[in-house]
Amino acid sequence: MKEYSGAIKRFSVTLLILSIVQLGNHLNLPGTTPQVANNDGIMNFFASISAGKSGELTLFSLGLSPYMISFIVWNLFSLLEVDAIKSLSQKQSGLIVRAITLLFAILQAWATLRSFEGNIFYAHFPSFSQSQVDFFFLLLLTSGGMVIAYIADLNKDKGVGKQMILIFPGLLANMPRMLLTGGQDSALFSSVWGLVFIGGATVVMVYVTSILARSEYRIPVQQTAMTVAFKSSYIPIKVLTSGAFPFMFGITLFSMPQVMLFLPFFQNNNLMAYIVTTFFSYSTVQGILTFGLILGFLGFGFSHMNIRPFDIAKGLRGAGDYIFDVRPGRDTEKYIRQKLNRIIFLNNSFILLVSLTPLLVGLWYQPATVLSFYFSSLVMMVYFVHTMHEDIRFVLAKRHYVIF
């Protein structure tokens, strides 16, 4: 039992954090009612991938959306290889990320309140003006978003599944409902042939994603610094170099312009409304192409965040190791980057195939649209399980290493 104590502690922390998130999503703000009109499959999917709540004003309605956007913004800056950014301490960079998260949390909280204007009963607060009630709700929603950001980082350090495990329960609960409410023909996926198709497609998707999640390309490395004799090792590059991040962050980024329409600055703006309804809609060719560009960009960006050719080449050179037939330094960096870009092409091809194919079919047969979000959910769930499995293996393996 002692051997598994570390894994048990991490699991306990994660279960406690997930319980807090679920509790916060059921704490409705006083004097509010649900938005029945927004309670459709796609909106539920957007809420589930951000650990938020669709159609209701709760303490954690914002979910992880502000955290996700700040994560993208900061990591994009870190890829610029700017000395001022690279010289920041971990505490300084953490404070900057928190400031960016706070900014986006305030903007999203304000937009959320505007979308719920007809569902807030200000008569329940006779001692306060409407602006005072709005300000109070704004503080509550913003605070909830910051709490979610904090406990997401806490789970990364103390739990299993890293930050994104917070969306796992909502994603799991939303998948069956998504198939039944996400299309005009809700009976399609509850018929016998519909269930057969969904069952077979689910098995294939889980099997393929499981293989890809475990697969990696290995670049052989000659190690000269360990002993007098040469020893070989390798640089592993996962086939799913970006993981499930493009699926999660892509939906969030694609949906943000629709949320921003509720901000006073963009209200009654015909140009903004045209751009959103044309280029940020799942039911138009332009919108699907925009969504594909966002997914491809995120796939490329997150792959380079996870695998940094410059840092790897610098580490090899510092250790005296090298790739056979490749000069250390810039040639090694260029070689690793070429290999990485080829794998990113496979990674992005899989992401786009899963996400865009049902959307394109949905232009002619609308019920197929929801399959894009269903298959994306499956990929994310398989990746989460794979990540948790690796975390547990790491915790158990640590006990077999002794520092002397």
Side-chain angles (χ1 to χ4, degrees):
M1 186 68 179
K2 189 176 180 181
E3 182 180 356
Y4 300 100
S5 59
I8 293 174
K9 287 180 181 178
R10 284 184 169 268
F11 257 114
S12 301
V13 170
T14 298
L15 288 175
L16 176 61
I17 287 175
L18 291 177
S19 300
I20 293 173
V21 174
Q22 293 304 306
L23 176 63
N25 274 327
H26 286 84
L27 292 177
N28 293 76
L29 300 189
T32 63
T33 58
Q35 282 187 334
V36 179
N38 282 347
N39 196 25
D40 57 59
I42 293 176
M43 287 302 297
N44 277 324
F45 179 71
F46 172 66
S48 66
I49 65 168
S50 61
K53 194 69 177 286
S54 172
E56 296 181 46
L57 273 180
T58 66
L59 182 60
F60 290 163
S61 281
L62 301 189
L64 278 170
S65 295
Y67 179 87
M68 288 178 172
I69 297 173
S70 64
F71 183 85
I72 293 174
V73 171
W74 180 248
N75 278 280
L76 286 176
F77 278 116
S78 66
L79 286 177
L80 297 178
E81 301 292 342
V82 178
D83 292 336
I85 295 177
K86 294 177 66 176
S87 62
L88 293 174
S89 66
Q90 186 174 0
K91 182 178 180 180
Q92 290 173 324
S93 60
L95 289 174
I96 294 175
V97 172
R98 283 287 179 265
I100 298 173
T101 304
L102 178 60
L103 173 62
F104 282 106
I106 293 173
L107 290 174
Q108 188 179 346
W110 182 257
T112 302
L113 282 178
R114 296 283 63 82
S115 70
F116 273 85
E117 277 184 325
N119 299 81
I120 301 176
F121 294 97
Y122 295 99
H124 290 187
F125 309 95
S127 302
F128 302 93
S129 65
Q130 179 175 333
S131 59
Q132 288 175 325
V133 174
D134 285 343
F135 181 72
F136 176 66
F137 282 174
L138 182 70
L139 286 180
L140 284 178
L141 290 174
T142 303
S143 300
M146 297 306 293
V147 169
I148 285 279
Y150 171 75
I151 62 178
D153 283 336
L154 182 64
N155 189 72
K156 175 187 175 183
D157 297 331
K158 306 293 184 181
V160 295
K162 299 181 173 59
Q163 303 101 315
M164 299 310 162
I165 192 62
L166 271 64
I167 76 174
F168 188 86
L171 203 61
L172 182 63
N174 189 55
M175 287 177 64
R177 183 171 61 243
M178 189 190 310
L179 293 176
L180 297 177
T181 62
Q184 295 175 349
D185 186 3
S186 60
L188 171 68
F189 302 112
S190 60
S191 64
V192 175
W193 287 111
L195 290 174
V196 171
F197 170 76
I198 289 297
T202 299
V203 171
V204 172
M205 187 62 64
V206 170
Y207 179 73
V208 171
T209 306
S210 299
I211 293 176
L212 293 177
R214 295 193 304 267
S215 301
E216 61 184 22
Y217 178 79
R218 298 177 177 181
I219 302 176
V221 173
Q222 299 295 320
Q223 293 184 299
T224 61
M226 293 182 63
T227 62
V228 177
F230 285 81
K231 289 194 173 182
S232 61
S233 183
Y234 59 86
I235 301 169
I237 302 178
K238 294 284 188 181
V239 172
L240 290 183
T241 47
S242 63
F245 290 118
F247 293 105
M248 294 180 287
F249 290 83
I251 297 291
T252 301
L253 288 180
F254 191 75
S255 302
M256 284 309 295
Q258 301 178 35
V259 176
M260 293 298 106
L261 279 180
F262 293 103
L263 293 174
F265 180 77
F266 294 115
Q267 285 183 349
N268 301 320
N269 188 318
N270 294 331
L271 176 60
M272 183 64 179
Y274 170 77
I275 292 174
V276 170
T277 55
T278 304
F279 294 97
F280 292 90
S281 170
Y282 298 108
S283 58
T284 64
V285 175
Q286 298 94 322
I288 294 173
L289 291 177
T290 303
F291 186 46
L293 289 174
I294 292 175
L295 291 176
F297 173 76
L298 291 176
F300 181 85
F302 279 113
S303 295
H304 279 272
M305 290 177 195
N306 295 330
I307 309 293
R308 298 176 181 260
F310 175 82
D311 294 338
I312 295 174
K314 183 178 179 181
L316 290 175
R317 188 170 186 174
D321 302 332
Y322 64 95
I323 299 173
F324 186 73
D325 250 1
V326 180
R327 291 175 62 87
R330 293 192 178 276
D331 288 348
T332 297
E333 178 189 356
K334 181 179 179 181
Y335 178 85
I336 296 173
R337 195 178 301 278
Q338 288 175 344
K339 296 293 184 181
L340 175 60
N341 288 335
R342 292 175 185 175
I343 298 175
I344 290 175
F345 177 78
L346 297 176
N347 174 82
N348 285 357
S349 297
F350 174 71
I351 292 172
L352 296 177
L353 180 67
V354 170
S355 299
L356 300 192
T357 303
L359 293 178
L360 291 172
V361 175
L363 294 175
W364 290 273
Y365 186 61
Q366 196 275 336
T369 299
V370 75
L371 292 178
S372 172
F373 309 104
Y374 177 74
F375 291 149
S376 298
S377 299
L378 283 178
V379 174
M380 285 188 279
M381 289 185 62
V382 173
Y383 184 77
F384 291 153
V385 172
H386 177 72
T387 301
M388 285 191 292
H389 180 253
E390 287 190 335
D391 287 348
I392 295 171
R393 286 182 58 190
F394 172 74
V395 173
L396 295 178
K398 281 201 307 183
R399 296 186 56 84
H400 298 286
Y401 293 90
V402 179
I403 300 177
F404 56 88

